[in-house]
Each structure stands twice: as C-alpha cells, then as structure tokens.
C-alpha cells in the first residue's frame, strides 16, 4: 500500500507527526505501523525513559494526555503508544483539546482497531490537521491473493494462484492470520520456492483436492463424480467446510457467470477486469458459461438463495446440512 510506504519513509527520514491515528477494520497494517514506530523512532538507549505502551482498557484519556505532555529525558522525542484504543470509544472525543495543541516533542500513536473514529466529529478533524490519520480498510476477497503474492515476493518466494486462493478460502481476509501461515511456510521452504497447493496442504492442513474452488471447478465442468466426492467430504468435515461458505462461493460464481453471459467482449483480459477474477481461472469461467446457459444460470441463482435460507433453518425441517448440500448440487447439475 502506497500510504504505508509513505508513512515508513517519513518515519525513516525523521519526518514525524506529533500524533498518529491508526484506525480501521483491518488490524494488520495498524499493528505493523505501530510496531515500526516502536522499533525505529527512538534509539535503544532512549527507550527506557522515553517510550511507553499503554492499553485502552487500562487507562483513561487523562492518563494518555498526562503521559503525552511529559518532556523527554535525554532525547529529542518521546513515544507514547496506545494499543486497543477502540476500548476508549465512549470517551475518545475528550482527547480533542490535546489533539488541537499536541506536544511537539511527543509522538502519540493511537491504535484504533476494527472500527473508525467518527470523521464528522472534532477529534478526527483535529488529528487530521495536526498529525496523521491512516485508515486500514478491509480487503475484498479478490484483493487478497495479490496481497499474498506481493508479500511473498518481498521475501523471495512465489505462489501459484490456486495455492493463494486456498489460503483465502480457509483463512478469510484476515491479513494477520494469513501472514502467520505464510511465515510458517517460509520457515519450512527454502527461499526461491514457488508455493504450491501441495505445500499448503502438507504444512497448513488445507486439502488441495477437497475445497470450495475444486467444487466450483467440478460443477462448472459438469464433473458430477468429482463434485459429489467433494460434497461428501464436506459433509464428513463440516467444521472445516461450513455450508454457509460453500453457498456464498457458489452464489458469487453463478452471479459472475450471469454477468459473463451479458458481456459482448469475452476476451480473457476483459473477463479478468470485469469479473475481478485471476487470469488463471478465466478458462474455468468460459467452460462453465458453455455448460450453463443464461436461463439456466438465472434459475440456479434462485435455487442457491433458497438453499441459503434452508441452511439457516428456514423451511428446512431440521434436514442435515450434508443432505442439503447434496440436494443443492443435484439441483444445480440437473
């Protein structure tokens, strides 16, 4: 992210703001920036007297202001980091007076995770004027594989598209969780390795053959035998393969197929851009579009919606999810 690079560059150049508000749904970059400030603003010999880490659940706004107004000892700056600042959401606006006139010799860092400070209120405006506001937005599913690729590239690794999508399917869009698993792979695999589905299966425990992307591929190519093998596997391992995730992915897939049918330009490049899919999977979508005409796709989407409700207990009469999923796949393929 360009904003992160700029922040790091400014910190390295000692172009420091008196107050940083790091906020947003994605905690990964909030932690990374906070850790970077903690590690790099002060020299090691300065940290003992001039660096303090506070936690929102343990302090008041008055505590934060009191610490921020102290002068550094035998150093030009002091650093005050408030982690889990979102725990102060009821009183955070009381920080506005300090934010309007922050101590120049203090670097105050507020780590406000999983939510944002109200941008309409005075505190946000004051910090945005006197310091730096960084908003860490949640990644969309289709953005995460590229983030994985770029993250690994900086460490000297590559990854196949399928392997990265396996990680996203299993771990979601939580970048911290994904990064933890990537670090495990980097420990066991030599630099320069292209991480494959087999590497992911062997070291993280995600099946390369029985996952939602393989189910999507099997359905799209009308490979009934493979589709039902995967469905049976899901039914036997429901904790690792919740039906709600499978239904959501199938709904997204057939919605994209409907969009594909309506496109006049069906070149791989245009499909990649319009559907926001990895070029690696374009052939699967074209294959599925040939196997499922537009009218059929419209009916399938209605069927998926019906089974989404049933999976949540609506008009399902306590039918096991394994049986519901089998019936859904039968309806799609017939």
């Amino acid at each position: 992210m360009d904003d992160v690079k700029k922040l790091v560059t400014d910190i390295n150049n000692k172009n420091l703001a008196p107050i940083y508000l790091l906020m947003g749904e994605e905690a990964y970059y909030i932690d990374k920036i906070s850790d970077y400030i903690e590690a790099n603003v002060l020299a090691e010999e300065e940290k003992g007297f001039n660096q303090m880490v506070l936690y929102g659940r343990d302090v008041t706004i008055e505590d934060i202001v009191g610490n921020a107004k102290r002068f550094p000892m035998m150093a030009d700056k002091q650093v005050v980091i408030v982690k889990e600042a979102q725990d102060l959401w009821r009183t955070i606006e009381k920080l506005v007076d300090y934010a309007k006139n922050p101590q120049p010799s203090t670097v105050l860092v507020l780590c406000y995770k999983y939510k944002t400070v109200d941008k309409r209120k005075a505190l946000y405006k004051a910090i945005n004027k006197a310091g730096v506001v960084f908003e860490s937005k949640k990644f969309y599913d289709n953005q995460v594989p590229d983030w994985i690729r770029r993250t690994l590239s900086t460490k000297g690794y590559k990854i196949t598209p399928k392997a990265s999508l396996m990680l996203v399917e299993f771990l979601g869009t939580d970048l911290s969780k994904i990064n933890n698993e990537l670090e495990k792979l980097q420990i066991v695999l030599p630099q320069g390795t292209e991480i494959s589905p087999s590497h992911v299966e062997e070291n993280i425990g995600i099946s390369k053959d029985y996952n939602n992307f393989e189910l999507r591929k099997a359905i799209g190519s009308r490979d009934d035998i493979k589709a039902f093998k995967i469905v049976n596997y899901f039914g036997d391992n429901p904790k690792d393969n919740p039906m709600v995730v499978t239904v959501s992915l199938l709904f997204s897939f057939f919605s994209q197929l409907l969009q594909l049918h309506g496109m006049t330009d069906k070149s791989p490049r245009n499909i990649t851009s319009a559907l926001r899919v990895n070029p690696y999977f374009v052939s699967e979508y074209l294959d599925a579009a040939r196997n499922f005409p537009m009218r059929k796709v419209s009916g399938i989407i209605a069927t998926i919606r019906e089974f989404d409700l049933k999976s949540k207990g609506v008009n399902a009469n306590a039918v096991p999810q394994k049986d519901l999923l089998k019936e859904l796949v039968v309806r799609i393929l017939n």
Side-chain angles (χ1 to χ4, degrees):
M1 291 179 67
D2 292 339
D3 289 348
V4 176
K5 290 179 181 177
K6 183 179 184 307
L7 269 173
V8 170
T9 299
D10 286 344
I11 293 166
N12 286 337
N13 293 335
K14 301 301 180 184
N15 182 20
L16 298 165
I19 182 167
Y20 291 84
L21 173 59
L22 312 176
M23 66 179 189
E25 292 182 69
E26 179 49 68
Y28 176 80
Y29 283 112
I30 294 174
D31 287 335
K32 285 291 182 183
I33 295 168
S34 171
D35 290 346
Y36 195 83
I37 291 172
E38 187 175 350
N40 293 282
V41 169
L42 299 179
E44 285 302 320
E45 64 271 15
E46 296 174 330
K47 291 179 181 178
F49 290 111
N50 298 294
Q51 187 154 283
M52 180 171 294
V53 177
L54 308 172
Y55 289 85
R57 64 180 177 272
D58 299 326
V59 296
T60 65
I61 298 300
E62 290 74 20
D63 295 330
I64 296 169
V65 172
N67 282 286
K69 284 188 173 181
R70 289 172 49 240
F71 289 97
M73 294 180 64
M74 296 176 289
D76 294 328
K77 296 282 186 182
Q78 71 155 346
V79 175
V80 179
I81 299 173
V82 185
K83 297 190 175 185
E84 312 298 339
Q86 70 276 5
D87 289 341
L88 292 161
W89 66 273
R90 289 184 180 87
T91 57
I92 193 76
E93 281 297 317
K94 291 167 64 178
L95 195 58
V96 66
D97 289 338
Y98 177 83
K100 287 178 178 177
N101 187 28
Q103 183 82 355
S105 58
T106 294
V107 177
L108 174 61
V109 183
L110 304 170
C111 302
Y112 200 88
K113 295 181 183 178
Y114 314 118
K115 55 177 73 176
T116 59
V117 169
D118 193 331
K119 297 178 182 179
R120 300 166 297 178
K121 293 189 175 180
L123 178 62
Y124 174 87
K125 293 175 182 177
I127 296 176
N128 201 33
K129 182 177 180 181
V132 171
V133 175
F134 170 79
E135 184 173 353
S136 186
K137 295 181 179 179
K138 199 78 173 173
F139 275 44
Y140 293 112
D141 287 357
N142 64 328
Q143 295 175 308
V144 180
D146 187 55
W147 178 88
I148 292 172
R149 181 189 59 78
R150 287 185 285 107
T151 299
L152 286 171
S153 178
T154 63
K155 306 291 178 62
Y157 291 83
K158 295 180 180 180
I159 187 168
T160 68
K162 182 180 174 181
S164 64
L165 284 170
M166 285 169 63
L167 290 169
V168 176
E169 182 202 354
F170 190 73
L171 301 168
T173 59
D174 187 321
L175 300 188
S176 296
K177 281 185 181 178
I178 294 171
N179 190 63
N180 288 340
E181 299 303 329
L182 295 180
E183 288 178 350
K184 291 178 187 176
L185 290 169
Q186 291 165 52
I187 290 171
V188 298
L189 299 174
Q191 201 171 46
T193 300
E194 181 175 49
I195 297 169
S196 68
S198 294
H199 291 134
V200 173
E201 181 176 50
E202 291 163 10
N203 296 286
I204 298 178
I206 307 170
S207 173
K208 65 179 173 53
D209 296 316
Y210 296 94
N211 57 66
N212 281 311
F213 293 101
E214 287 299 314
L215 176 62
R216 182 187 73 185
K217 183 178 179 180
I219 290 174
S221 62
R222 287 193 171 276
D223 186 341
D224 298 30
I225 294 173
K226 185 175 180 181
F228 285 109
K229 280 184 178 178
I230 295 171
V231 167
N232 283 327
Y233 178 86
F234 284 4
D236 293 335
N237 300 274
K239 288 185 179 178
D240 292 334
N241 304 280
M243 184 173 174
V244 64
V245 175
T246 301
V247 170
S248 175
L249 188 140
L250 290 175
F251 180 82
S252 175
F253 177 57
F254 280 99
S255 297
Q256 289 171 313
L257 284 188
L258 191 63
Q259 186 179 348
L260 176 57
H261 276 300
M263 291 167 56
T264 53
D265 180 0
K266 291 185 173 65
S267 65
R269 184 173 181 176
N270 192 52
I271 292 171
T272 298
S273 174
L275 301 188
R276 295 183 178 181
V277 298
N278 191 296
Y280 177 84
F281 295 104
V282 167
S283 61
E284 289 183 19
Y285 280 81
L286 289 170
D287 188 28
R290 286 189 288 269
N291 287 325
F292 294 92
M294 181 180 281
R295 182 175 295 180
K296 175 70 173 173
V297 171
S298 298
I300 288 171
I301 289 173
T303 299
I304 293 172
R305 285 183 173 139
E306 174 191 338
F307 276 80
D308 178 48
L309 291 173
K310 286 184 176 181
S311 72
K312 295 167 182 172
V314 179
N315 299 323
N317 296 322
V319 177
Q321 295 213 341
K322 179 178 182 178
D323 294 338
L324 280 176
L325 189 55
K326 283 183 179 178
E327 186 182 349
L328 171 59
V329 173
V330 168
R331 295 266 297 271
I332 289 173
L333 291 171
N334 288 342

